[in-house]
Amino acid sequence: MADAKIRIKNLYKIFGNKPDQVMHLVRQGVSKQELLDEHKHVLGLSDINIDIPAKRIHVIMGLSGSGKSTLIRHINRLIEPTDGKVIVDGDDVMEMSSNDLMHFRRFKASMVFQKFALLPHRTVAQNAAYGLTIQGVGEGEAVERSQRWLERVGLGGFEKHFPAQLSGGMQQRVGLARALATDAEILLMDEAFSALDPLIRNDMQGILLDLQKELHKTIVFITHDLDEALRIGDQISILRDGAVIQDGDPQDIIMRPADDYISDFIKDINRGRVIKVSTLMTKAARVSGPKFETTALLEDVLTTLNKSKTDSGAVVDGKGKVVGKITMKDAIQAMARPQRSETGTRYK
Amino acid sequence: MFDFFTEFPDMSRRDLRDFKLAVDGAFRDFSRTNGEAIEAFFDPLLWFLIWLEKLLVATPWPVILIVVGGLAYLGSRSWKLALGSVLSFMLIGYFGMWEDTMSTIALISVATLLCILIGMPLGIWMAKSDRVQSVITPILDVMQTIPIFVYLLPVLMLLGIGKVPGLIAVCVYAMPPMVRLTNLGIRLVDSDVLEAANAFGANDKQKLFGVQIPLALPNIFAGINQTIMMALAMVVIASMIGVRGLGIPVLQAIQNQYLALGFMNGLAIVGLAIIFDRVSQKYGKRLQEHRGGHDHG
Ligand SMILES: Nc1ncnc2c1ncn2[C@@H]1O[C@H](COP(=O)(O)OP(=O)(O)OP(=O)(O)O)[C@@H](O)[C@H]1O
Ligand SMILES: [Mg+2]
């Protein structure tokens, strides 16, 4: 991708006493288990290559221990890599001097944490202003400037409270306001909503999507929850044992899971509510029958086609021009889970 | 041959005597050449202590009572404690121990201040490096277990009898908890919060004053509290080497078997200890109120 904002290149991370000495084994493809059992090192990340486009939400998904937190912490270098590069706007973060890195963290990339990580002795207003005070903005001005972000996440009126007096959802809104207040272009979110109840999590996803429509930040979002990934991700990378096993947009991953692991991951989702018409349509210029937008969901297509007792419908773009055709047969087929053996061969 | 096992094969008496003489001589020379310089080094401390003592003694007693009550209330936000403190001071004054008490408070204040000024940076340094911690911890152990008279000896040889050696004796004994608890407090700071500070680009100073010290404050306060308590416990010993205060009458009482005198002054020390302890503990608790307190508003 040409306009990648963040490029992760051949990134390796090995935890242990002498990572450099086992690096060659990892390059030869030793498994995580073998590295642990026989060489007493933990394989955190193995040959990660991801291009993260600007102004999009890039989700990194994987089960516990797959290396998600390790990966996102390399982007602002909270963790030093064993090998590899992280290039942001053309600059390698790993080559930055400590001063440059500090500047990068203050102005370019801010972060939201799973356990909120708010300062317990500072008020909500002071917490939201934290990033700005670190930048060197005076306390008074910082509080003033971050005020609008507190209001934007729905926390107006809670400025004088302390974090411990707020519910988890509200605490994470403070975390979000704190990250937004620095005006950084990049937002790193490590399982930011995982600690919240499902309903609150849903709210927070909504807030994030609304904000994104306006702000167009480059967001790297970590989750282990597929529904969340599908809802907010423009692009999804799936991690297992420290390696990326599939990289694509949500439709891609649902229609063509790379292997059994991913098939397993997606087996319980409601396909009707995730798959879009654009994924299923075949090209055509003139079609009769009911009309569907490209973003219409499979569920709606099935109901409408069934009601109108036709076999197929027309797919139209935003301006109403017909761009393709969707048939009942394709729609029904898409509802069934794909078998890996048919489809998986395209991926490594 | 049998002797070998019953008698420890020690060095000869003459060697031992020479060894001791050599050490004593060397130290005496050292104190002769450097004694004045070292004394001069501690002069500002001495002036400060004398100044504070004079100030406390010269201040009219009603003013002191108001200040005591006020500070106790500000620290604890408890009327009962403030009132109790004032009453204790009135009793102390009524039984004729006012001046000695003022001297003791001056000593404790200066000693505590000194312990904080030296102990806190030391604790912070220890928290930053495991190696520093492994060097300082045994020194602290020695400071707390070595018999007081043993380390007083060189101090006395250097500085003679007086307030400064007393102050040093108190500080050697009272500082370790300050250092230990500062170290512990900073090491226990929530690593998630510290990571957040890092992620936002905080430098070392911003992390120390913005995160580590504030979050370690409850432990640091426990350290200050213990330091005050241990300093008070040293009051009698300090008076043996020339520090004025409540310890002097206690010593007299021991020498002359004055039961009432000994008890009165002993109780005054206990009274001070209880007041300092309760007020500083309440203050420490109030510091953390908004932290873990009432979850979910
Ligand atoms: N400091 C460390 N020392 C040794 N091993 C580590 C360290 N940090 C992480 N690991 C290991 O690296 C692997 C990846 O950990 P990571 O925390 O990135 O996983 P994760 O995907 O974020 O999991 P979770 O969903 O539990 O947060 C795990 O096997 C973990 O045990
Ligand atoms: Mg994690």
Side-chain angles (χ1 to χ4, degrees), chain A residues 9-272:
Chain A
K9 278 185 160 173
N10 307 106
L11 189 70
Y12 288 88
K13 176 66 188 179
I14 301 164
F15 294 105
N17 290 333
K18 302 235 159 66
D20 290 328
Q21 291 181 8
V22 294
M23 190 59 201
H24 67 279
L25 296 169
V26 175
R27 279 193 207 281
Q28 284 161 20
V30 168
S31 76
K32 181 169 178 166
Q33 198 58 45
E34 193 182 336
L35 193 74
L36 183 61
D37 293 343
E38 281 166 41
H39 306 280
K40 307 280 173 265
H41 279 71
V42 177
L43 182 55
L45 295 173
S46 164
D47 198 15
I48 304 283
N49 288 284
I50 302 177
D51 281 354
I52 295 173
K55 305 183 178 182
R56 291 307 191 74
I57 302 184
H58 193 111
V59 170
I60 293 167
M61 193 176 67
L63 297 178
S64 189
S66 55
K68 307 181 296 290
S69 296
T70 309
L71 178 56
I72 201 170
R73 275 165 180 68
H74 276 88
I75 297 175
N76 58 358
R77 210 167 131 194
L78 287 175
I79 297 180
E80 294 285 337
T82 308
D83 197 27
K85 293 183 166 110
V86 174
I87 295 164
V88 177
D89 285 337
D91 296 325
D92 188 351
V93 178
M94 303 309 163
E95 300 291 323
M96 286 182 183
S97 68
S98 61
N99 252 338
D100 291 345
L101 183 61
M102 204 174 276
H103 192 271
F104 175 83
R105 290 174 179 169
R106 286 179 182 182
F107 294 95
K108 202 135 192 194
S110 58
M111 198 160 181
V112 184
F113 300 86
Q114 179 170 6
K115 290 184 208 141
F116 321 138
L118 300 174
L119 295 159
H121 62 291
R122 293 181 130 230
T123 61
V124 164
Q126 291 171 326
N127 263 292
Y130 183 69
L132 289 172
T133 56
I134 293 297
Q135 287 178 358
V137 178
E139 184 90 25
E141 192 196 333
V143 166
E144 207 172 290
R145 271 168 62 185
S146 53
Q147 175 64 28
R148 86 183 172 98
W149 293 109
L150 276 179
E151 270 156 28
R152 191 69 186 72
V153 298
L155 277 183
F158 286 92
E159 293 83 1
K160 298 231 160 62
H161 286 62
F162 284 96
Q165 298 170 312
L166 304 182
S167 68
M170 289 163 97
Q171 289 189 42
Q172 195 57 305
R173 289 178 200 218
V174 181
L176 193 56
R178 173 173 72 175
L180 293 170
T182 66
D183 283 327
E185 300 157 35
I186 298 170
L187 198 55
L188 305 173
M189 306 182 71
D190 184 8
E191 302 216 32
F193 305 150
S194 297
L196 308 175
D197 303 336
L199 280 179
I200 312 266
R201 191 183 313 164
N202 215 40
D203 282 352
M204 293 296 287
Q205 290 163 358
I207 291 176
L208 183 67
L209 288 173
D210 280 351
L211 282 165
Q212 177 63 354
K213 262 185 221 144
E214 218 176 282
L215 303 172
H216 307 293
K217 304 235 175 210
T218 303
I219 301 180
V220 182
F221 191 100
I222 304 273
T223 182
H224 61 246
D225 176 359
L226 183 67
D227 289 320
E228 186 166 70
L230 294 174
R231 175 160 182 216
I232 66 174
D234 294 313
Q235 198 75 16
I236 300 177
S237 300
I238 299 179
L239 272 184
R240 183 180 60 187
D241 290 347
V244 176
I245 50 174
Q246 189 168 4
D247 209 2
D249 70 26
Q251 303 289 311
D252 232 18
I253 284 165
I254 294 164
M255 299 306 290
R256 293 174 287 276
D259 62 11
D260 291 338
Y261 177 78
I262 298 171
S263 304
D264 229 31
F265 230 128
I266 62 173
K267 72 173 191 276
D268 291 325
I269 57 153
N270 183 340
R271 301 175 68 82

Side-chain angles (χ1 to χ4, degrees), chain B:
Chain B
M1 186 62 218
F2 202 64
D3 274 359
F4 183 81
F5 292 102
T6 51
E7 291 272 323
F8 197 90
D10 52 5
M11 68 201 283
S12 79
R13 218 167 264 178
R14 162 120 45 94
D15 288 350
L16 192 59
R17 203 193 58 206
D18 288 349
F19 167 73
K20 289 182 198 161
L21 279 178
V23 171
D24 289 359
F27 191 76
R28 206 161 286 140
D29 286 347
F30 173 79
S31 69
R32 209 165 284 147
T33 46
N34 298 302
E36 260 170 52
I38 294 175
E39 230 167 280
F41 173 78
F42 285 113
D43 269 350
L45 203 60
L46 182 63
W47 294 330
F48 180 49
L49 179 56
I50 291 175
W51 172 79
L52 186 64
E53 198 176 330
K54 278 198 179 138
L55 178 74
L56 286 176
V57 174
T59 307
W61 60 266
V63 177
I64 300 269
L65 285 185
I66 291 170
V67 170
V68 165
L71 284 180
Y73 180 74
L74 279 183
S76 66
R77 290 290 146 87
S78 146
W79 283 114
K80 264 197 228 158
L81 203 54
L83 197 67
S85 309
V86 171
L87 280 179
S88 314
F89 270 73
M90 284 165 94
L91 269 180
I92 285 172
Y94 188 65
F95 279 97
M97 299 179 288
W98 187 265
E99 250 179 62
D100 282 340
T101 303
M102 291 304 120
S103 300
T104 295
I105 290 178
L107 174 74
I108 300 303
S109 310
V110 175
T112 305
L113 213 64
L114 207 60
C115 287
I116 295 173
L117 283 179
I118 301 173
M120 220 168 107
L122 216 55
I124 292 167
W125 193 33
M126 251 171 112
K128 293 225 149 135
S129 143
D130 285 340
R131 185 172 310 166
V132 173
Q133 175 175 252
S134 67
V135 172
I136 293 185
T137 305
I139 297 178
L140 295 180
D141 293 339
V142 170
M143 282 164 74
Q144 282 187 302
T145 50
I146 192 172
I148 293 146
F149 296 102
V150 174
Y151 68 76
L152 267 186
L153 208 58
V155 175
L156 283 177
M157 285 170 77
L158 267 180
L159 301 168
I161 294 247
K163 287 183 198 302
V164 169
L167 201 57
I168 293 176
V170 173
C171 282
V172 168
Y173 187 68
M175 194 166 40
M178 188 64 219
V179 182
R180 278 191 221 277
L181 282 156
T182 303
N183 174 38
L184 183 76
I186 289 184
R187 280 176 184 266
L188 288 181
V189 165
D190 187 351
S191 59
D192 288 335
V193 178
L194 202 58
E195 183 180 52
N198 269 325
F200 279 92
N203 58 28
D204 286 348
K205 201 172 125 203
Q206 289 170 324
K207 275 185 278 187
L208 184 64
F209 292 105
V211 181
Q212 291 172 302
I213 291 181
L215 266 63
L217 223 46
N219 273 313
I220 293 176
F221 253 87
I224 294 176
N225 174 288
Q226 289 208 13
T227 292
I228 296 175
M229 294 301 111
M230 294 178 78
L232 273 167
M234 284 289 285
V235 162
V236 177
I237 296 201
S239 64
M240 291 176 77
I241 45 174
V243 181
R244 295 180 43 187
L246 291 166
I248 302 256
V250 174
L251 282 184
Q252 285 171 0
I254 292 172
Q255 277 156 13
N256 304 312
Q257 306 195 339
Y258 296 149
L259 188 65
L261 183 71
F263 265 74
M264 268 161 40
N265 285 275
L267 283 176
I269 295 176
V270 172
L272 285 185
I274 293 177
I275 293 170
F276 278 128
D277 181 60
R278 294 299 128 84
V279 172
S280 67
Q281 265 191 22
K282 278 254 169 81
Y283 182 69
K285 263 203 200 111
R286 261 193 326 116
L287 272 182
Q288 333 180 39
E289 236 165 39
H290 53 259
R291 294 190 176 176
H294 19 236
D295 279 81
H296 305 273

